[in-house]
Amino acid sequence: MKSKGRLSAVLHALLHMAHRGGPMTSEELAACLRTHPVVVRRTMAGLREAGFVVSERGHGGGWVLARDPASVTLLDVQMAVGDADGAAAEGETGPHADGCVIEQSVQRALAGSLREAEALLAKRLGEVTLAHLSADFNRAMAAHTAHAAHAGHPHAPEARHAV
């Protein structure tokens, strides 16, 4: 998982787990995320430390959610995975930063704007829960199914994400 898409990938995995309603192996999650099971295990280990998932050993075991999706915000997950892309941009300097007053002014302006944008993003992420994402998925899947039925498709809609 690339750092920039890590939050998205983790949310993707958590939603698969929520919809499964039972344990998912690292291999199953890796297939959903198109990554390697080792990457999933490392990520899930971090989420386990943060209290979002637990692992069940043995036959039929795997990763399961440890918390109700309605109690987990996107901000909680972002903080757990350490995906704060915007923070890295703050403090970047251009090629003329050494002693250039103009470059310093530019950086102060950008840093302030980035802080404001990150605060707004954090506020919004704190308002959206996994349950909200799950409800949105359910609405989209119902619309997709209804559209496929209405269009007279002889086969059920592609259910790659309906685990």
Side-chain angles (χ1 to χ4, degrees), residues 37-62:
V38 171
V39 174
V40 170
R41 283 190 280 278
R42 278 191 217 126
T43 302
M44 290 296 136
L47 291 174
R48 180 179 50 215
E49 289 175 20
F52 293 113
V53 299
V54 294
S55 58
E56 296 179 355
R57 295 189 181 273
H59 182 69

Side-chain angles (χ1 to χ4, degrees), residues 2-156:
K2 295 177 187 162
S3 166
K4 192 163 185 74
R6 191 166 178 189
L7 176 60
S8 176
V10 169
L11 292 170
H12 186 154
L14 293 173
L15 284 175
H16 272 287
M17 293 167 63
H19 281 270
R20 170 69 63 90
M24 288 188 76
T25 67
S26 297
E27 289 74 17
E28 290 172 318
L29 287 166
C32 294
L33 300 174
R34 296 184 178 112
T35 191
H36 196 277
V38 171
V39 174
V40 170
R41 283 190 280 278
R42 278 191 217 126
T43 302
M44 290 296 136
L47 291 174
R48 180 179 50 215
E49 289 175 20
F52 293 113
V53 299
V54 294
S55 58
E56 296 179 355
R57 295 189 181 273
H59 182 69
W63 298 100
V64 294
L65 291 177
R67 292 177 48 188
D68 177 3
S71 73
V72 179
T73 70
L74 276 58
L75 182 61
D76 295 334
V77 177
Q78 181 189 40
M79 292 172 60
V81 299
D83 188 22
D85 293 323
E90 187 176 326
E92 288 182 5
T93 57
H96 306 291
D98 296 337
C100 179
V101 178
I102 292 174
E103 180 68 20
Q104 292 167 6
S105 294
V106 167
Q107 291 307 312
R108 279 193 301 275
L110 290 177
S113 296
L114 285 172
R115 277 192 301 275
E116 290 173 20
E118 288 172 354
L120 287 172
L121 177 61
K123 180 182 183 305
R124 180 64 181 136
L125 292 177
E127 296 168 348
V128 180
T129 66
L130 289 179
H132 290 118
L133 295 183
S134 182
D136 181 65
F137 165 77
N138 290 335
R139 280 190 299 276
M141 189 54 123
H144 179 73
T145 303
H147 175 71
H150 178 71
H153 291 284
H155 303 290

